[in-house]
Amino acid sequence: MKKLVSIALVVSMLGFLVQAKGENSNVINYDKANNLMISNNRTLKNLAVEERKMFLNYNSVIQNTKNIKTDGVTVKIGREELFFEFDDYTKLNLSIAKEYTPAELRFYWNKVIDSKTVTEKSLSLGLRDIYLGLMKADKDCDIAQKKYQLAKNKHEINQLKFNQGLITGLDLEESEYELLKAEASMDEARRNRENMVRTFNSMMGVDISIDYDTIQFDEFKRNLVLKPLDYYIEKALAERNEIKSIEEELRIKELKKEIFEKSKLFNKSYSLMEQFEDLELEIEALKVKLEKARYDVENEIKKAYIEVMSDLNTIESTTETIKLQKRNLDKMKIQYERGFITKTILDEMEIGIEELENAKELVIYGFNTKIMKLEEAAGIGPAY
């Protein structure tokens, strides 16, 4: 009875240890990494502080200017109320302070908000590229280890063959050379992985010495759908930061122009007319700039769409290649079972297929990244 209890206790403890190990294993994926990076990034924190300052500044101006009377001031003297009309220069300056200045400050506040949004999206997309490099380095390291083990097995077989006089010393030297080459490739793959981990951790803002047991590929969970080209062009022309910013700047310049035109000083004051002419030149320059921005954005979206479609074709062709190689592998397994080929030939084929599957995963990840970049480029930004 005691033995049964002891065995049950050991099994229970082993189960607990396996579970604990699973819970404590260091697993990373892109979404987890992105959340860490955004929460740790100093640039985003500084922009958040700047946004708060701009809001407080804008709000202060709104509070201070909302009750401004631009025509004059009413003063109560005893029981009488007397209205004192401002001169035309004062009226103009007060109109600018009440109508134009808040609009201008709102424009600059919005620019900081948009800058923060675009910066965050740009960092997230940049991390996508770094994570792609990390996944590739991790997969390359795993393949290099398998190739080394295969070369080691081959060399051990060749050593036996040499001892039995079945191969020459030159054949054995070539076998040893292939083993050393595989070992060097494995060491290089490990160093590349270590460097990518450090780069990845640095971008996330965590300790660069942290390593990961599992670097996950979760792309099949993403519901990314490629929409028609016209959808992306129309959306980009309506939402892109470069275009919206110029449109908003044009709007507030036009507002200032209207304030000048309503003033009684218009066409009378040399100083005012000089400012008005400068303003008109600024407006015309902004209109030209806006047209160029629209043209550039549309062309950018078209080029990006072609890139995405190219990746889609690569995924389809890689998928067909893998299917073909797997059919060949099935045939080779039959040959192996019948003793026509060695286990090492079968292992080589399996590693080759695994490399193709790894390549397909990376292309899928890159394809999804390009769709994400296209969607952001068709929104506020950043540019593709």
Side-chain angles (χ1 to χ4, degrees):
M1 183 67 181
K2 286 182 179 179
K3 287 183 180 179
L4 288 173
V5 171
S6 299
I7 292 170
L9 181 61
V10 169
V11 170
S12 176
M13 286 298 294
L14 283 171
F16 173 78
L17 289 171
V18 169
Q19 183 181 7
K21 185 179 179 182
E23 289 174 354
N24 295 328
S25 62
N26 202 356
V27 178
I28 194 69
N29 57 48
Y30 168 75
D31 293 314
K32 180 180 177 181
N34 189 49
N35 290 335
L36 274 170
M37 179 195 65
I38 289 171
S39 63
N40 291 334
N41 189 267
R42 289 182 181 179
T43 302
L44 292 177
K45 289 177 181 178
N46 291 338
L47 284 170
V49 172
E50 186 64 23
E51 179 192 336
R52 180 64 179 167
K53 286 179 182 176
M54 292 296 292
F55 165 72
L56 292 173
N57 192 19
Y58 166 72
N59 190 56
S60 175
V61 169
I62 287 289
Q63 297 303 317
N64 292 332
T65 60
K66 66 180 181 180
N67 294 321
I68 286 178
K69 305 295 183 185
T70 58
D71 291 333
V73 63
T74 301
V75 179
K76 192 171 184 180
I77 302 175
R79 294 182 179 180
E80 290 188 48
E81 288 185 348
L82 299 176
F83 177 75
F84 294 93
E85 187 175 358
F86 296 138
D87 63 78
D88 292 335
Y89 286 101
T90 303
K91 286 180 181 178
L92 176 60
N93 289 332
L94 289 174
S95 294
I96 289 171
K98 183 173 183 176
E99 298 174 44
Y100 175 75
T101 302
E104 186 181 39
L105 288 176
R106 179 62 188 253
F107 169 69
Y108 289 123
W109 175 33
N110 283 337
K111 282 194 77 170
V112 175
I113 294 172
D114 291 343
S115 177
K116 181 174 177 289
T117 302
V118 172
T119 300
E120 183 175 318
K121 291 178 182 295
S122 182
L123 286 167
S124 295
L125 293 172
L127 184 67
R128 287 278 304 180
D129 293 334
I130 297 294
Y131 194 78
L132 174 63
L134 179 64
M135 283 197 303
K136 184 178 185 308
D138 185 60
K139 291 176 184 297
D140 286 349
C141 192
D142 182 56
I143 290 291
Q145 287 172 349
K146 289 177 179 177
K147 285 184 175 181
Y148 168 74
Q149 188 59 50
L150 183 62
K152 187 178 178 183
N153 293 342
K154 280 184 177 181
H155 185 63
E156 287 172 354
I157 293 169
N158 285 331
Q159 184 71 58
L160 291 172
K161 286 181 178 179
F162 175 75
N163 293 339
Q164 293 170 4
L166 298 174
I167 61 173
T168 66
L170 183 60
D171 291 332
L172 186 63
E173 286 178 8
E174 287 179 2
S175 173
E176 186 178 7
Y177 171 74
E178 290 299 323
L179 175 60
L180 292 172
K181 191 167 72 170
E183 185 177 15
S185 296
M186 181 178 65
D187 291 340
E188 184 182 1
R190 283 174 179 169
R191 287 194 298 273
N192 288 340
R193 186 186 182 282
E194 288 169 4
N195 291 335
M196 279 307 307
V197 167
R198 283 195 289 269
T199 301
F200 176 67
N201 287 339
S202 177
M203 190 163 186
M204 281 196 300
V206 300
D207 185 350
I208 62 170
S209 66
I210 294 173
D211 201 357
Y212 305 97
D213 300 324
T214 306
I215 297 166
Q216 289 183 331
F217 173 79
D218 292 335
E219 291 305 284
F220 292 112
K221 297 176 184 177
R222 294 187 182 278
N223 187 25
L224 295 170
V225 179
L226 186 63
K227 301 178 182 69
L229 174 60
D230 288 344
Y231 165 84
Y232 294 108
I233 292 174
E234 289 172 14
K235 193 168 183 289
L237 293 176
E239 299 180 22
R240 194 61 173 268
N241 184 44
E242 296 97 310
I243 294 171
K244 282 175 59 184
S245 180
I246 299 171
E247 288 174 340
E248 183 60 19
E249 192 173 356
L250 264 172
R251 190 188 70 78
I252 63 171
K253 295 287 184 186
E254 293 284 1
L255 173 62
K256 194 172 187 179
K257 183 181 172 183
E258 287 176 15
I259 294 170
F260 282 172
E261 288 173 333
K262 288 177 183 176
S263 172
K264 290 181 180 179
L265 294 171
F266 190 69
N267 282 332
K268 294 178 182 177
S269 167
Y270 175 77
S271 174
L272 177 61
M273 295 313 296
E274 196 173 45
Q275 291 180 59
F276 184 80
E277 288 173 6
D278 290 343
L279 190 58
E280 283 192 314
L281 289 173
E282 289 175 16
I283 288 171
E284 288 306 311
L286 282 171
K287 286 179 179 177
V288 173
K289 189 178 177 182
L290 178 60
E291 286 306 308
K292 184 178 184 305
R294 286 172 174 162
Y295 175 81
D296 289 344
V297 166
E298 183 172 346
N299 279 338
E300 175 199 310
I301 296 297
K302 287 177 180 177
K303 289 177 182 177
Y305 199 83
I306 291 170
E307 273 195 38
V308 174
M309 291 302 295
S310 175
D311 270 18
L312 185 59
N313 293 334
T314 303
I315 292 170
E316 291 171 353
S317 63
T318 306
T319 301
E320 289 304 312
T321 302
I322 290 171
K323 286 179 181 177
L324 176 63
Q325 292 299 318
K326 283 185 175 180
R327 285 196 293 269
N328 291 336
L329 179 63
D330 290 338
K331 292 175 184 177
M332 290 178 72
K333 284 179 178 177
I334 295 171
Q335 289 180 312
Y336 169 69
E337 288 168 2
R338 291 176 179 176
F340 296 144
I341 61 171
T342 64
K343 180 70 164 57
T344 54
I345 293 174
L346 199 63
D347 290 341
E348 280 180 339
M349 187 69 174
E350 287 176 342
I351 291 173
I353 291 173
E354 187 176 347
E355 282 187 281
L356 281 173
E357 288 176 334
N358 287 347
K360 180 184 173 182
E361 283 190 358
L362 296 176
V363 173
I364 289 170
Y365 180 93
F367 172 71
N368 286 342
T369 299
K370 286 179 180 178
I371 293 181
M372 290 168 70
K373 287 181 177 180
L374 179 60
E375 287 179 348
E376 300 299 357
I380 190 172
Y384 186 84

